[in-house]
Amino acid sequence: MDELLFIPVHTCAGGTLSLRTGRRSPDGERVGIAFTSEERLRSALGGGRPWIRLAGPALRSMLAPMGIVAVQMDPLFVGPKDPVPPAGPPRPPRPRAPAMAGRR
């Protein structure tokens, strides 16, 4: 993991960058995120996301103070889980009022 990797980052106020991290399912362990190519990063995150190039050892040393030891390489999807619909019966459709025409 000595080659330069593509590392997703957040852009903070004042132009400061912070590493994006994720959680590994099903245990929820916090992990670093790295990609071996820009194409793989875009496939997982979509276009227009900020990223930097870092070597693996540099990434690990930046993650260590946060207690993160694992790095997920080339995850297929990075983002929130699909929203869960609320439980309960579906609402009946709301009746529509008749449309009013202009006065004569």
Side-chain angles (χ1 to χ4, degrees):
M1 201 160 91
D2 289 340
E3 72 276 3
L4 287 178
L5 300 168
F6 294 81
I7 311 299
V9 294
H10 293 288
T11 305
C12 304
T16 304
L17 300 177
S18 65
L19 299 175
R20 280 187 74 164
T21 60
R23 295 204 180 265
R24 186 179 353 209
S25 295
D27 61 4
E29 176 189 8
R30 209 164 156 209
V31 296
I33 302 170
F35 295 89
T36 55
S37 71
E38 185 178 354
E39 292 78 26
R40 290 183 178 197
L41 182 142
R42 287 178 189 231
S43 175
L45 299 175
R49 303 291 181 160
W51 52 268
I52 59 173
R53 301 284 311 265
L54 281 177
L59 174 62
R60 288 186 184 282
S61 70
M62 294 173 77
L63 294 170
M66 295 183 277
I68 299 174
V69 295
V71 175
Q72 180 70 46
M73 295 293 294
D74 294 326
L76 297 177
F77 174 74
V78 179
K81 292 183 178 180
D82 291 335
V84 177
R91 293 183 182 177
R94 183 181 272 181
R96 293 183 152 214
M100 300 295 285
R103 292 186 194 211
R104 288 189 177 179

